[in-house]
Amino acid sequence: MKRLSLVAGVLVAVGIIAALASVAAGVLAQGGDGDSDDEGGDVTYTWAGDVNAPDFPGGLDWINVSEPLTLDALRGKIVMLDFWTYGCINCIHIIPDLKRLEAEYPNELVVVGVHSAKFDNEGETENIRRIVRRYEIEHPVLNDSDFVMWQEYGVRAWPTVMVIDPFGKIVGSLSGEPLYERVAPIIQTMVEEYGAAGVLDLSPLPNWQPEMASTDDTLLRFPGKVLADPDGNRLFISDSNHNRIVIAALDTYEVLDVIGTGEIGLADGDYATAQFFRPQGLALVENTLYVADTENHAIRAVDLDARTVETVAGTGEQGFNRDQSGPGPQMELNSPWDLVAHDGVLYIAMAGPHQLWAYDLASGEIGPYAGSGREALVDSKLREAGMNQPSGIDTDGSVLYFADPEASAIRTADLDPDGEVKTIVGTGLFDFGDQDGVGDEVLLQHPLGITLADDGFLYVADTYNNKIKRINPETRESVTYLGTGEEGFADGDKPLFYEPGGLDFAAGKLYVADTNNHAIRVVDMAAKTVSTVEFPNPERLGEIPSEGEAAESDLSDALSASGLVGENVVSLPPQTVGAGEGTIQINITMPEGYKLNDQAPFTAIWPEDAIAQVPDDSRDIRIVLPDLPLDVPVTFAEGQTDLSVDLTIYWCEAVNETLCFVERVQLVTPLTVTADGSEHVVALEHALVPPNLDDNTFQ
């Protein structure tokens, strides 16, 4: 869960929270009036709201409905808003809880996902659509990339659910996980009481139109990780959304075996009867394949000789232990995402508790190895360090290298138990982008995969940048190795990827789990060209897609992904300057008693402009607590243009920091550049105004 001090794009509406009674780890209102003449007569409800819920904003993109919803159309339903962002492991964890509630109350409850993106890539509607398909979400989802709903509802953390009663009033909110056991009794009581009063509308949800999972007929479906075994001439693939492991020949890609029925479940047995739930990481020890069975919260061992599957750690239940070790079958795990084995120990990137765990192959004991469980980018001794959803792991025999995606970081943990956790690249939870360079100047965006090649470099699946990066662990230099940054599907020397999630090096090649392309890509490192695995016997994987329905054609419409919506454009007075070197001065003012947020970066992004040419290294500025006014170098050429800059500003009430805001604004000024002008400074001024917390919305 991203807490207040870490959240970008936060409006903490103190009034609404103060009006609600606290329960468990969240906030829900008990015993609201619920008894006005037009809302249930003289009935008093245990769980009722007093504050009118703000309606869904217009002009935003929706998924799973044929047209936008309104709260007025949902009157008579119990409504649960789920504020989430798809790279957040805690948000993923509560999806099964939401599905369970929807199944138990199909006519009484409507869940609406409000996707307020943390990362730029997560704000694109087509990418959200892919995640909706991947996690088989059938309820309506709204793309709230500009945090409009987030601000109106005073949300403070991912995930947060907001409950609205059948009269359209806010009952309250719960943040974090677990969700079901905290909210289910409340929903049950509401169903009983509002149902008895005859105010529930049990008709089907209007305009409900779940996404058709058009990727169902692809040979692979959202493969998460891949493992090459050159000695055994085998390629192991986590076919994650087919809930199975595929084994292919490394030289011909002939399908040799399929492990698992494809049905979601936790069942041991032979290849034909075993079941998995979105498996991810793989590790091979002699002829035993270990599988991070992520959504079963388990480690599975596949005996490749006996052709059997056994659960060696995890109970199938999600656990929240961050300190204790114990026998594998008795320990509850929390989203194991990737694996690497070394010297009799299986090291686990345990995404859920923000830790690395270790499983002793001889004793069967499992427990935390590194990380305190605190979500933070903190280097320290192994068990004192802070991590951020580790999801990829490899080793050189002296240190563990791991991808720490929520901090967009690549880090190390010593194999010496007295060692430390250190950071190679990455600077914080909200420092992300696509910037090559050295050390702290490097920006990645939610990397999920990592492998060490025999050239000594780390190769990283820079997932949200749709790239493969190459990082020197000694010099901390990071460069783009392959990919343009655009999502897509193309082989050759100018390849395109789409959110690659895993990769492995073997014998001069990189094998890439190109997750959203439903494909395994192969990089010939000598030629630096990319090809795609094609199975010569695809019938072993089930039905073959009909012509024109293969994964590649399915990807073509991904290129139509939309960007941010609802841009706030502020027009400034025209200005005139002289040609030559100059300065653009950005000055942001705010009322007395407010300050910039010291936990999130002030961002200024400049488009291409032939008249006002901002240097490449100043085109994407991200600075926590910049000195204002901010001077940006520029070269002016004769002519006219509409000079513009996109700003993201995080700011807070200065004394108690009880209110924090985000403002995304585009400043535009008509600019004339003359040959003999004497002025060489363009001033871009913007005054921040706190949102008006209307009493009808917040009390």
Side-chain angles (χ1 to χ4, degrees):
M1 183 175 67
K2 316 300 184 296
R3 298 188 181 277
L4 172 61
S5 62
L6 299 176
V7 171
V10 176
L11 167 59
V12 182
V14 174
I16 189 170
I17 300 300
L20 305 179
S22 131
V23 65
V27 180
L28 281 168
Q30 186 168 7
D33 57 30
D35 56 1
S36 64
D37 290 340
D38 61 341
E39 294 184 352
D42 58 358
V43 178
T44 298
Y45 303 99
T46 304
W47 300 100
D50 297 314
V51 179
N52 290 326
D55 206 351
F56 304 110
L60 303 188
D61 290 343
W62 284 86
I63 299 169
N64 285 342
V65 286
S66 59
E67 60 184 63
L69 298 180
T70 66
L71 282 180
D72 187 59
L74 296 178
R75 295 272 288 198
K77 300 285 189 184
I78 300 166
V79 178
M80 182 181 294
L81 304 181
D82 170 34
F83 288 85
W84 65 302
T85 185
Y86 74 73
C88 159
I89 191 66
N90 314 88
C91 302
I92 293 170
H93 284 162
I94 72 166
I95 291 174
D97 291 348
L98 297 172
K99 290 183 178 181
R100 181 177 176 183
L101 290 165
E102 290 175 289
E104 291 175 351
Y105 307 104
N107 301 315
E108 301 90 348
L109 174 68
V110 173
V111 176
V112 178
V114 182
H115 191 277
S116 305
K118 171 184 173 180
F119 291 95
D120 294 341
N121 195 68
E122 293 173 350
E124 297 184 11
T125 299
E126 183 60 31
N127 294 343
I128 302 170
R129 194 184 313 280
R130 296 290 166 135
I131 285 293
V132 165
R133 292 175 179 172
R134 189 188 308 185
Y135 288 99
E136 293 147 358
I137 296 168
E138 295 188 347
H139 56 249
V141 175
L142 173 68
N143 183 359
D144 183 41
S145 60
D146 275 354
F147 289 84
V148 178
M149 286 281 285
W150 177 286
Q151 294 186 21
E152 287 186 339
Y153 277 87
V155 178
R156 296 185 292 181
W158 294 287
T160 289
V161 297
M162 192 78 61
V163 177
I164 300 171
D165 70 22
F167 303 120
K169 295 183 181 295
I170 296 174
V171 176
S173 65
L174 287 169
S175 295
E177 55 167 322
L179 173 66
Y180 181 84
E181 52 264 42
R182 292 187 292 155
V183 77
I186 296 163
I187 300 301
Q188 176 64 30
T189 299
M190 293 179 72
V191 167
E192 292 172 355
E193 294 182 351
Y194 287 100
V199 298
L200 286 181
D201 177 3
L202 303 181
S203 60
L205 177 67
N207 309 318
W208 182 58
Q209 185 174 305
E211 278 286 313
M212 296 303 293
S214 60
T215 54
D216 278 346
D217 55 7
T218 57
L219 296 176
L220 302 175
R221 190 159 188 251
F222 296 108
K225 301 291 184 183
V226 63
L227 175 67
D229 171 30
D231 293 337
N233 190 36
R234 294 173 294 192
L235 183 67
F236 300 97
I237 301 166
S238 282
D239 191 5
S240 302
N241 272 60
H242 281 145
N243 306 296
R244 64 187 182 180
I245 307 299
V246 174
I247 308 176
L250 193 59
D251 53 354
T252 66
Y253 307 130
E254 177 186 2
V255 178
L256 303 177
D257 265 313
V258 175
I259 308 172
T261 67
E263 298 296 321
I264 291 174
L266 178 59
D268 291 342
D270 60 24
Y271 286 7
T273 58
Q275 292 180 322
F276 301 88
F277 191 4
R278 296 200 186 102
Q280 290 282 341
L282 305 165
L284 187 63
V285 180
E286 296 177 348
N287 218 27
T288 298
L289 179 71
Y290 291 92
V291 180
D293 195 3
T294 302
E295 295 202 38
N296 273 328
H297 309 290
I299 305 297
R300 318 292 293 281
V302 180
D303 187 323
L304 298 169
D305 293 321
R307 299 170 56 82
T308 58
V309 178
E310 178 187 5
T311 302
V312 295
T315 66
E317 298 296 324
Q318 180 188 359
F320 297 92
N321 163 50
R322 290 176 168 84
D323 299 304
Q324 302 301 315
S325 298
Q330 300 175 22
M331 296 292 289
E332 293 181 342
L333 310 185
N334 193 345
S335 289
W337 208 276
D338 201 10
L339 308 172
V340 68
H342 174 71
D343 198 22
V345 178
L346 188 68
Y347 294 95
I348 305 161
M350 195 76 75
H354 312 293
Q355 292 177 313
L356 304 182
W357 280 40
Y359 172 70
D360 188 291
L361 297 177
S363 69
E365 291 281 313
I366 191 170
Y369 176 77
S372 65
R374 173 192 175 196
E375 185 177 14
L377 188 67
V378 175
D379 291 346
S380 187
K381 295 180 179 179
L382 289 177
R383 292 291 282 116
E384 297 174 3
M387 299 180 184
N388 310 269
Q389 200 173 306
S391 302
I393 193 168
D394 203 354
T395 186
D396 63 0
S398 62
V399 299
L400 298 168
Y401 297 101
F402 65 98
D404 212 20
E406 281 294 281
S408 297
I410 302 299
R411 308 178 71 190
T412 65
D414 291 330
L415 287 172
D416 180 346
D418 294 324
E420 298 180 341
V421 171
K422 299 177 182 178
T423 300
I424 300 174
V425 297
T427 55
L429 270 166
F430 290 94
D431 298 338
F432 57 85
D434 186 3
Q435 178 67 52
D436 292 346
V438 178
D440 289 353
E441 68 189 25
V442 173
L443 292 175
L444 307 175
Q445 190 177 186
H446 203 81
L448 287 175
I450 187 170
T451 189
L452 178 68
D454 60 9
D455 59 8
F457 289 104
L458 297 170
Y459 291 83
V460 173
D462 194 3
T463 305
Y464 287 180
N465 283 326
N466 305 299
K467 287 183 175 183
I468 307 301
K469 298 288 179 69
R470 186 182 70 192
I471 297 177
N472 185 323
E474 299 299 326
T475 66
R476 303 175 66 206
E477 181 184 30
S478 174
V479 299
T480 296
Y481 183 68
L482 289 170
T484 67
E486 297 295 321
E487 64 261 19
F489 185 94
D491 285 340
D493 59 358
K494 296 180 180 177
L496 295 176
F497 303 92
Y498 195 174
E499 291 197 7
L503 71 173
D504 191 37
F505 168 82
K509 294 182 178 179
L510 284 176
Y511 297 85
V512 182
D514 197 5
T515 304
N516 274 5
N517 275 333
H518 315 290
I520 303 300
R521 320 290 294 281
V522 183
V523 181
D524 184 322
M525 299 180 71
K528 205 173 179 181
T529 58
V530 174
S531 60
T532 299
V533 167
E534 294 184 4
F535 304 104
N537 57 337
E539 65 276 4
R540 290 291 303 272
L541 296 175
E543 285 189 31
I544 305 172
S546 59
E547 186 176 354
E549 293 181 347
E552 183 170 349
S553 61
D554 177 60
L555 295 165
S556 60
D557 48 13
L559 300 178
S560 64
S562 63
L564 294 176
V565 293
E567 192 76 42
N568 179 21
V569 179
V570 174
S571 298
L572 302 177
Q575 301 184 55
T576 300
V577 294
E581 302 302 313
T583 301
I584 301 172
Q585 190 173 85
I586 302 173
N587 193 27
I588 306 299
T589 59
M590 60 194 78
E592 184 178 354
Y594 291 83
K595 67 176 184 178
L596 291 176
N597 189 329
D598 61 4
Q599 298 293 329
F602 173 94
T603 302
I605 299 176
W606 303 89
E608 289 277 2
D609 193 319
I611 304 301
Q613 302 167 25
V614 175
D616 288 345
D617 59 1
S618 298
R619 292 270 307 282
D620 188 339
I621 299 171
R622 297 172 189 268
I623 305 174
V624 176
L625 295 180
D627 292 328
L628 295 176
L630 179 66
D631 290 340
V632 179
V634 63
T635 301
F636 296 118
E638 286 186 65
Q640 292 183 321
T641 188
D642 287 330
L643 175 64
S644 68
V645 62
D646 293 314
L647 302 179
T648 302
I649 308 159
Y650 303 101
W651 55 302
C652 296
E653 187 271 330
V655 179
N656 298 317
E657 298 191 21
T658 51
L659 287 166
C660 288
F661 312 94
V662 59
E663 178 149 341
R664 295 184 178 185
V665 62
Q666 183 181 70
L667 304 183
V668 181
T669 181
L671 180 65
T672 300
V673 181
T674 63
D676 54 357
S678 59
E679 181 60 59
H680 295 281
V681 177
V682 172
L684 302 180
E685 304 269 351
H686 182 59
L688 298 174
V689 179
N692 177 27
L693 304 183
D694 193 298
D695 286 342
N696 290 326
T697 303
F698 301 103
Q699 293 184 355

